[in-house]
Amino acid sequence: MLDRACHGRRLVHAFLWLVLLCGPLRVANAQPNVVGQWSAPASWPLSASHAALMADGRVLLWSDQSGVTPRLWNPTANGFATVAAINTNLAGSAQAGQADGTLAILGGHDVTGAGTHDAHRFDVVANTWTSLPFLTEPRNEPAAILLGDGRLFTLSGERLPGQPTDVAEALVAGSGAWIPFSNAPLALPRTPWSFWLSTGDLLVAGPDASTRRFDSDTSSWFAVSNLLAGTRDAGSALLLPGAPNRFLVTGGRNPAVATCEVLDLNTTTSWAWTGSMARARRFHNATILADGTVLVTGGTLLDDALDQAVYSAERYSATSGTWTTQASMTVPRRRASVALLLPDARVLCTGGGDGTPGSETHADAEIFSPPYLFLGSRPVITTAPASLVYGSQFSVDSPQAADVSDVWLVRAGTVTRGFNGDQRAVPLAFTAVPGRLTVTCPTDPNAAPPGTYMLFLVDDAGAPSIATMTRLQPGVVVPIQPTITSTAPTTTTVGVQFTYVPAASGTMPMTWSLVTNPGWLAISPSTGAIAGLPLVTGPASIRLRATNAGGFADQAWTLNVVSAISVRTVIPLGATWRYFKGTTNPAATWATIGFNDASWLQGPSGFGFGDNDDATVLSDMVNVYSTVFTRKAFNFYNVNTVSKVSILYEYDDGLAVYLNGTRILAQNAPATIVNTSLATSSHEATLNLIRQDFTNAATRALLVNGANVLAAVGLNNSLSSSDLTLKVTLELTGGTDTPVDAAPPMTEAFAPGVHPNPFTSQAAVRFATTRFGTATLRVYDPAGHLVREIGAPGLGAGPHEILWDGRDRTGANMPPGVYLYRLTAPGQDHRGKLTHTR
């Protein structure tokens, strides 16, 4: 039996080595702005299995190995400081950041491996330890978590090796004893993946297969669902950045797996697969980064084997659900290693090994610089508050305020043996003016528990600032005077309802009023929404005021009331349409913009026979076919200003009308129409057209700037019917016959490089960027009509090119001649000419 077991293990090792040899060992693009960069390993005085980012930006470190002295590491000075002595063994403990910026450290084990009742608090500013009340239960390798109401909560661990501690307990700040939840015992694995929910409950997401929720008010456990992969021992988990109550679990099992799962309690109680990592791994770390992505580092493929270590890092986007392979570390980081986000947006990776027999330990550290640190200059925070109050607004001064796209509040991490339950990233709403951001704090302590956070600014290119350390806490909200941030419309139309809903920053609640009113406007005091019907043309003076406890702000402007919007008959009766006799079935896409109708017949509308009033007579329809399919292309622009779509029609016996492939009108027509379909009833046409007006947003949104298609199908109620009528016209209220986009001027402006020019099949517009972003090429004809728009998102720094193949937005070849182009990219706006030849 021993020989067979060893042989099986050798086979597993051989298979995993094959995976390593055949897998993606190298990243295709090894540029730091794509894969990041690792520092060289640096010798440290300890091999850390615990790390906590403290309120002053230093990192407290200790080991699961007994007798190792904790240390404080300063990331800025790259030096260590001595920590005040503590007369207890911290091995096997758990930790959680507290509301006052201190760190609570709970449990651990003695020299026999038995759990302890120890509980302490470390104050980094005073460099002192304070004893907390003893735990009611001994706990080796428990979980510790701060609740939104400020209570300290602990669960799981072991009393003795193999004997789980099955009773959770909580400590109210300042109280003298822990309160056990004795009526709700539950045995859980050591260091369970525990998270505080915005609902005020606790979630345990693993590593065993069952996901459970604990209601601390009723002292009850509830089953949520099971992990799809089953037990994920030695995996990792985190609360996904952004919306609350979304979780990611990664890897684990033995041999390790690469699969990952997500749970979004906002919409479901079931786990779902997300993208798998490129490498299977266990004993790894998962770390939230400064831009809201997730980094996975270290781990091993099998057991805690050194020869199965995984060196490449991977980065996860919650938006796309995909992983990107990053640069590889030098030192294997396996069981009991740690990874921690630093205030400068780098990631500290250290430790590995817990002193158990055969477990290699690493008294060294490497630091990972993510790709976002190689995108050029970074935003700078010049001033920001050292403390924040729930529900308040605060100012952040930054020379790059206008370029900021995201503001993140990232909780200081406290990682224990590969699990960081404290980390969470909360996006903050903000408004920007040159040099300053006005940012709104979270309102709910359950979504963002009180304590130490890093405040990051992220610019349009994706580069984060160095964080300001701050503390989120309850308190009195100081009112901030309103600032009206929206732009009021300056033009409206006589006889058309005018509306304007303003936006403002400042302390809520806010009261709105009209200081100057032309008389025909009304306002909602609570929302500021303005509405009214202008009856005469001319200028109207308006002054809007927002008032709160901090003061008031006005917005004054002149509203020009102009004459009514014109109604255009875009497709009149008698216009030439393409049509297809229903002797066979047309392609399924016959009513869409991209369908090629060049092979169809053409003729003026209306279509039919038997009534002597048809412009295109279908003389062969009787007893041959029951349907006729028609379509008419038209160009229209400024479609966002179209207020009404009007179809005027007449039919005998049925019809259906489609706008850009979507059915908007039907009479006596089945839900699905093929060439053999019949009208569901008979209807005799008259000489008068029927009008159907569409003012709903869904129908108006079907229109696009440029090429559109109106399509219609006429149906008879039998093959032997004696007549058929199909007449359709289109009116649009609003919009324009000319493009929205203005062409660039016909000047020889600086061009980044066009090759070849003239060209035969396609042009390559070449350029170079210095930072990450999106480039867009727009091609216009000499009349200023937008011909084609080509976007190139996600470009890194360096040379690039965008190709135009001489086709317009519908795929049709453009005629030879001179064309204009405009290329916009981060920090660039180039214009020039193209000459199209064949």
Side-chain angles (χ1 to χ4, degrees):
M1 291 296 291
L2 180 60
D3 290 343
R4 292 179 61 186
C6 291
H7 177 66
R9 182 182 174 90
R10 285 194 296 270
L11 286 176
V12 171
H13 275 265
F15 169 74
L16 291 172
W17 269 113
L18 182 62
V19 171
L20 280 172
L21 291 172
C22 297
L25 292 178
R26 295 184 298 173
V27 182
N29 188 338
Q31 296 299 316
N33 65 341
V34 177
V35 301
Q37 188 176 81
W38 288 91
S39 69
S43 295
W44 272 25
L46 78 167
S47 177
S49 57
H50 300 252
L53 181 64
M54 305 305 296
D56 64 355
R58 292 186 291 174
V59 179
L60 179 66
L61 304 133
W62 68 96
S63 173
D64 271 339
Q65 302 174 61
S66 300
V68 178
T69 303
R71 297 295 183 99
L72 270 172
W73 176 63
N74 187 328
T76 304
N78 192 23
F80 289 89
T82 303
V83 177
I86 178 173
N87 189 25
T88 189
N89 182 17
L90 297 181
S93 59
Q95 71 268 16
Q98 299 301 287
D100 61 359
T102 62
L103 183 73
I105 302 176
L106 309 178
H109 63 74
D110 60 21
V111 294
T112 70
T116 70
H117 296 263
D118 292 345
H120 299 84
R121 176 182 284 127
F122 179 70
D123 184 336
V124 70
V125 177
N127 194 10
T128 58
W129 295 91
T130 303
S131 294
L132 294 172
F134 280 119
L135 300 169
T136 62
E137 298 282 345
R139 302 180 186 275
N140 176 34
E141 298 190 12
I145 187 169
L146 182 73
L147 308 188
D149 58 11
R151 286 181 296 169
L152 182 59
F153 192 90
T154 184
L155 69 164
S156 185
E158 288 186 341
R159 296 182 175 91
L160 296 170
Q163 295 184 15
T165 305
D166 56 0
V167 174
E169 51 190 307
L171 177 69
V172 177
S175 66
W178 290 81
I179 300 174
F181 298 96
S182 304
N183 59 335
L186 180 66
L188 292 166
R190 292 176 298 174
T191 315
W193 302 337
S194 308
F195 304 94
W196 189 240
L197 301 174
S198 66
T199 59
D201 294 342
L202 183 83
L203 185 82
V204 177
D208 61 347
S210 299
T211 303
R212 304 175 179 92
R213 179 174 60 86
F214 181 71
D215 186 330
S216 61
D217 293 328
T218 62
S219 303
S220 304
W221 286 99
F222 300 93
V224 177
S225 62
N226 289 338
L227 290 167
L228 300 175
T231 299
R232 286 184 176 269
D233 58 293
S236 194
L238 53 76
L239 180 65
L240 279 170
N245 308 327
R246 297 168 57 240
F247 304 91
L248 170 72
V249 297
T250 58
R253 302 181 67 86
N254 196 19
V257 296
T259 58
C260 303
E261 303 175 40
V262 293
L263 172 64
D264 185 350
L265 289 178
N266 303 299
T267 59
T268 183
T269 58
S270 299
W271 289 92
W273 296 113
T274 187
S276 294
M277 298 178 290
R279 292 294 189 194
R281 59 184 85 210
R282 64 196 310 264
F283 291 131
H284 56 282
N285 281 264
T287 307
I288 295 174
L289 298 181
D291 64 348
T293 57
V294 175
L295 183 74
V296 163
T297 52
T300 181
L301 291 170
L302 182 70
D303 299 330
D304 191 29
L306 177 62
D307 62 355
Q308 304 297 323
V310 181
Y311 293 87
S312 60
E314 299 187 51
R315 195 176 180 196
Y316 178 78
S317 166
T319 303
S320 64
T322 57
W323 294 88
T324 303
T325 300
Q326 304 286 273
S328 295
M329 59 177 58
T330 302
V331 178
R333 307 287 176 192
R334 298 169 291 119
R335 184 201 300 269
S337 62
V338 296
L340 193 69
L341 180 68
L342 301 174
D344 62 8
R346 298 180 301 163
V347 178
L348 167 68
C349 294
T350 184
D354 54 7
T356 56
S359 177
E360 181 188 60
T361 59
H362 290 282
D364 49 37
E366 297 169 271
I367 298 179
F368 180 67
S369 296
Y372 54 50
L373 297 181
F374 301 92
L375 301 178
S377 60
R378 302 168 62 180
V380 175
I381 298 175
T382 54
T383 61
S387 62
L388 307 174
V389 175
Y390 286 104
S392 67
Q393 289 186 320
F394 63 95
S395 296
V396 178
D397 290 337
S398 171
Q400 298 79 27
D403 298 326
V404 170
S405 60
D406 296 289
V407 179
W408 286 98
L409 203 57
V410 182
R411 188 170 174 83
T414 60
V415 60
T416 305
R417 293 176 293 274
F419 173 64
N420 190 342
D422 254 358
Q423 65 178 343
R424 63 177 62 205
V426 183
L428 302 184
F430 68 93
T431 57
V433 296
R436 174 165 291 186
L437 302 167
T438 299
V439 188
T440 303
C441 277
T443 58
D444 185 5
N446 287 327
T452 301
Y453 285 81
M454 293 175 281
L455 177 70
F456 286 102
L457 306 182
V458 181
D459 68 14
D460 295 334
S465 66
I466 294 175
T468 292
M469 303 299 295
T470 188
R471 186 180 305 163
L472 183 59
Q473 58 191 358
V476 178
V477 176
V478 178
I480 295 180
Q481 183 176 342
T483 299
I484 300 177
T485 57
S486 55
T487 301
T490 57
T491 305
T492 191
T493 305
V494 67
V496 177
Q497 184 79 1
F498 170 79
T499 59
Y500 168 47
V501 181
S505 63
T507 302
M508 303 299 286
M510 200 172 290
T511 303
W512 297 83
S513 60
L514 281 171
V515 179
T516 304
N517 188 346
W520 48 269
L521 285 175
I523 187 170
S524 167
S526 59
T527 66
I530 302 173
L533 185 68
L535 298 178
V536 295
T537 60
S541 296
I542 303 172
R543 181 180 291 273
L544 173 67
R545 175 166 292 177
T547 306
N548 67 5
F552 70 88
D554 285 356
Q555 184 181 52
W557 75 100
T558 298
L559 179 67
N560 293 309
V561 183
V562 299
S563 58
I565 297 174
S566 61
V567 178
R568 291 175 172 80
T569 301
V570 179
I571 303 177
L573 194 64
T576 299
W577 290 55
R578 292 281 185 172
Y579 69 98
F580 180 88
K581 299 177 180 180
T583 54
T584 60
N585 210 29
T589 57
W590 71 274
T592 63
I593 297 176
F595 177 74
N596 187 348
D597 59 9
S599 63
W600 284 25
L601 301 171
Q602 56 182 334
S605 66
F607 297 88
F609 70 97
D611 295 320
N612 298 319
D613 62 351
D614 304 301
T616 297
V617 180
L618 305 175
S619 57
D620 59 344
M621 190 170 187
V622 177
N623 295 321
V624 178
Y625 55 95
S626 61
T627 57
V628 60
F629 300 85
T630 66
R631 50 183 279 125
K632 173 64 176 175
F634 63 96
N635 290 325
F636 211 70
Y637 303 90
N638 207 11
V639 296
N640 61 309
T641 65
V642 172
S643 60
K644 183 166 59 179
V645 177
S646 301
I647 303 295
L648 289 82
Y649 65 97
E650 187 53 284
Y651 66 101
D652 179 348
D653 293 297
L655 93 163
V657 180
Y658 304 81
L659 181 56
N660 290 335
T662 297
R663 182 159 154 169
I664 62 172
L665 172 65
Q667 298 288 0
N668 295 344
T672 301
I673 298 176
V674 295
N675 68 303
T676 56
S677 296
L678 299 173
T680 57
S681 181
S682 62
H683 177 268
E684 193 64 28
T686 67
L687 296 178
N688 298 317
L689 296 178
I690 303 168
R691 171 181 288 272
Q692 176 69 57
D693 294 326
F694 299 90
T695 59
N696 60 305
T699 300
R700 291 185 285 114
L702 297 174
L703 291 167
V704 296
N705 285 314
N708 295 262
V709 168
L710 187 71
V713 56
L715 303 98
N716 257 327
N717 67 345
S718 70
L719 280 175
S720 59
S721 177
S722 62
D723 59 358
L724 177 128
T725 296
L726 176 63
K727 298 176 181 178
V728 179
T729 73
L730 172 66
E731 289 181 1
L732 295 177
T733 303
T736 63
D737 296 320
T738 57
V740 178
D741 299 285
M746 288 282 286
T747 61
E748 292 295 339
F750 167 75
V754 180
H755 177 79
N757 186 7
F759 66 91
T760 53
S761 61
Q762 59 185 359
V765 180
R766 293 174 178 170
F767 59 101
T769 58
T770 59
R771 58 189 178 99
F772 184 88
T774 295
T776 303
L777 175 68
R778 295 180 177 89
V779 181
Y780 302 81
D781 66 18
H785 297 168
L786 181 65
V787 172
R788 183 78 175 273
E789 180 173 311
I790 305 170
L795 298 181
H800 305 283
E801 66 178 20
I802 299 179
L803 302 178
W804 182 47
D805 59 2
R807 299 176 185 271
D808 66 11
R809 288 178 290 185
T810 67
N813 286 313
M814 295 301 297
V818 175
Y819 291 82
L820 310 177
Y821 76 86
R822 182 176 185 177
L823 174 73
T824 56
Q828 302 182 57
D829 190 348
H830 302 301
R831 308 175 188 216
K833 296 180 182 179
L834 298 171
T835 303
H836 180 18
T837 63
R838 290 183 182 171

PDB file of all heavy atoms in Angstrom, residues 742-753:
ATOM      1  N   ALA A 742     -19.301  68.072 -36.210  1.00  0.00           N
ATOM      2  CA  ALA A 742     -18.748  69.045 -37.146  1.00  0.00           C
ATOM      3  C   ALA A 742     -17.413  68.539 -37.645  1.00  0.00           C
ATOM      4  O   ALA A 742     -16.595  68.038 -36.881  1.00  0.00           O
ATOM      5  CB  ALA A 742     -18.570  70.398 -36.476  1.00  0.00           C
ATOM      6  N   ALA A 743     -17.176  68.671 -38.932  1.00  0.00           N
ATOM      7  CA  ALA A 743     -15.918  68.195 -39.494  1.00  0.00           C
ATOM      8  C   ALA A 743     -14.785  69.086 -39.060  1.00  0.00           C
ATOM      9  O   ALA A 743     -14.968  70.271 -38.809  1.00  0.00           O
ATOM     10  CB  ALA A 743     -16.006  68.180 -41.015  1.00  0.00           C
ATOM     11  N   PRO A 744     -13.587  68.549 -38.959  1.00  0.00           N
ATOM     12  CA  PRO A 744     -12.430  69.405 -38.660  1.00  0.00           C
ATOM     13  C   PRO A 744     -12.173  70.341 -39.831  1.00  0.00           C
ATOM     14  O   PRO A 744     -12.557  70.066 -40.960  1.00  0.00           O
ATOM     15  CB  PRO A 744     -11.294  68.402 -38.486  1.00  0.00           C
ATOM     16  CG  PRO A 744     -11.724  67.191 -39.247  1.00  0.00           C
ATOM     17  CD  PRO A 744     -13.214  67.149 -39.121  1.00  0.00           C
ATOM     18  N   PRO A 745     -11.554  71.475 -39.568  1.00  0.00           N
ATOM     19  CA  PRO A 745     -11.316  72.427 -40.661  1.00  0.00           C
ATOM     20  C   PRO A 745     -10.374  71.855 -41.711  1.00  0.00           C
ATOM     21  O   PRO A 745      -9.527  71.014 -41.424  1.00  0.00           O
ATOM     22  CB  PRO A 745     -10.674  73.626 -39.938  1.00  0.00           C
ATOM     23  CG  PRO A 745     -10.084  73.033 -38.693  1.00  0.00           C
ATOM     24  CD  PRO A 745     -11.008  71.918 -38.309  1.00  0.00           C
ATOM     25  N   MET A 746     -10.541  72.354 -42.944  1.00  0.00           N
ATOM     26  CA  MET A 746      -9.681  71.900 -44.048  1.00  0.00           C
ATOM     27  C   MET A 746      -8.338  72.625 -43.968  1.00  0.00           C
ATOM     28  O   MET A 746      -8.029  73.531 -44.746  1.00  0.00           O
ATOM     29  CB  MET A 746     -10.359  72.184 -45.378  1.00  0.00           C
ATOM     30  CG  MET A 746     -11.540  71.287 -45.665  1.00  0.00           C
ATOM     31  SD  MET A 746     -11.052  69.650 -46.236  1.00  0.00           S
ATOM     32  CE  MET A 746     -10.522  69.993 -47.884  1.00  0.00           C
ATOM     33  N   THR A 747      -7.541  72.284 -42.985  1.00  0.00           N
ATOM     34  CA  THR A 747      -6.226  72.885 -42.808  1.00  0.00           C
ATOM     35  C   THR A 747      -5.193  71.795 -42.730  1.00  0.00           C
ATOM     36  O   THR A 747      -5.487  70.651 -42.415  1.00  0.00           O
ATOM     37  CB  THR A 747      -6.169  73.724 -41.525  1.00  0.00           C
ATOM     38  OG1 THR A 747      -6.428  72.874 -40.409  1.00  0.00           O
ATOM     39  CG2 THR A 747      -7.195  74.843 -41.541  1.00  0.00           C
ATOM     40  N   GLU A 748      -3.974  72.175 -43.029  1.00  0.00           N
ATOM     41  CA  GLU A 748      -2.884  71.215 -42.944  1.00  0.00           C
ATOM     42  C   GLU A 748      -2.337  71.229 -41.518  1.00  0.00           C
ATOM     43  O   GLU A 748      -1.232  71.676 -41.253  1.00  0.00           O
ATOM     44  CB  GLU A 748      -1.797  71.562 -43.964  1.00  0.00           C
ATOM     45  CG  GLU A 748      -2.232  71.367 -45.401  1.00  0.00           C
ATOM     46  CD  GLU A 748      -2.524  69.909 -45.718  1.00  0.00           C
ATOM     47  OE1 GLU A 748      -2.022  69.023 -44.998  1.00  0.00           O
ATOM     48  OE2 GLU A 748      -3.257  69.660 -46.675  1.00  0.00           O
ATOM     49  N   ALA A 749      -3.175  70.812 -40.562  1.00  0.00           N
ATOM     50  CA  ALA A 749      -2.742  70.747 -39.166  1.00  0.00           C
ATOM     51  C   ALA A 749      -1.724  69.623 -39.001  1.00  0.00           C
ATOM     52  O   ALA A 749      -1.592  68.742 -39.854  1.00  0.00           O
ATOM     53  CB  ALA A 749      -3.934  70.513 -38.252  1.00  0.00           C
ATOM     54  N   PHE A 750      -1.015  69.646 -37.891  1.00  0.00           N
ATOM     55  CA  PHE A 750      -0.004  68.614 -37.635  1.00  0.00           C
ATOM     56  C   PHE A 750      -0.650  67.245 -37.648  1.00  0.00           C
ATOM     57  O   PHE A 750      -1.644  67.008 -36.965  1.00  0.00           O
ATOM     58  CB  PHE A 750       0.663  68.852 -36.276  1.00  0.00           C
ATOM     59  CG  PHE A 750       1.475  67.674 -35.822  1.00  0.00           C
ATOM     60  CD1 PHE A 750       2.709  67.392 -36.394  1.00  0.00           C
ATOM     61  CD2 PHE A 750       0.992  66.824 -34.844  1.00  0.00           C
ATOM     62  CE1 PHE A 750       3.453  66.302 -35.981  1.00  0.00           C
ATOM     63  CE2 PHE A 750       1.728  65.725 -34.420  1.00  0.00           C
ATOM     64  CZ  PHE A 750       2.954  65.470 -34.980  1.00  0.00           C
ATOM     65  N   ALA A 751      -0.121  66.354 -38.448  1.00  0.00           N
ATOM     66  CA  ALA A 751      -0.627  64.988 -38.528  1.00  0.00           C
ATOM     67  C   ALA A 751       0.384  64.050 -37.899  1.00  0.00           C
ATOM     68  O   ALA A 751       1.578  64.161 -38.148  1.00  0.00           O
ATOM     69  CB  ALA A 751      -0.863  64.589 -39.986  1.00  0.00           C
ATOM     70  N   PRO A 752      -0.070  63.075 -37.087  1.00  0.00           N
ATOM     71  CA  PRO A 752       0.870  62.165 -36.453  1.00  0.00           C
ATOM     72  C   PRO A 752       1.505  61.179 -37.412  1.00  0.00           C
ATOM     73  O   PRO A 752       2.469  60.522 -37.071  1.00  0.00           O
ATOM     74  CB  PRO A 752       0.000  61.441 -35.416  1.00  0.00           C
ATOM     75  CG  PRO A 752      -1.381  61.504 -35.992  1.00  0.00           C
ATOM     76  CD  PRO A 752      -1.458  62.819 -36.715  1.00  0.00           C
ATOM     77  N   GLY A 753       0.952  61.052 -38.594  1.00  0.00           N
ATOM     78  CA  GLY A 753       1.549  60.126 -39.565  1.00  0.00           C
ATOM     79  C   GLY A 753       0.486  59.285 -40.239  1.00  0.00           C
ATOM     80  O   GLY A 753      -0.210  58.538 -39.587  1.00  0.00           O
TER      81      GLY A 753
END
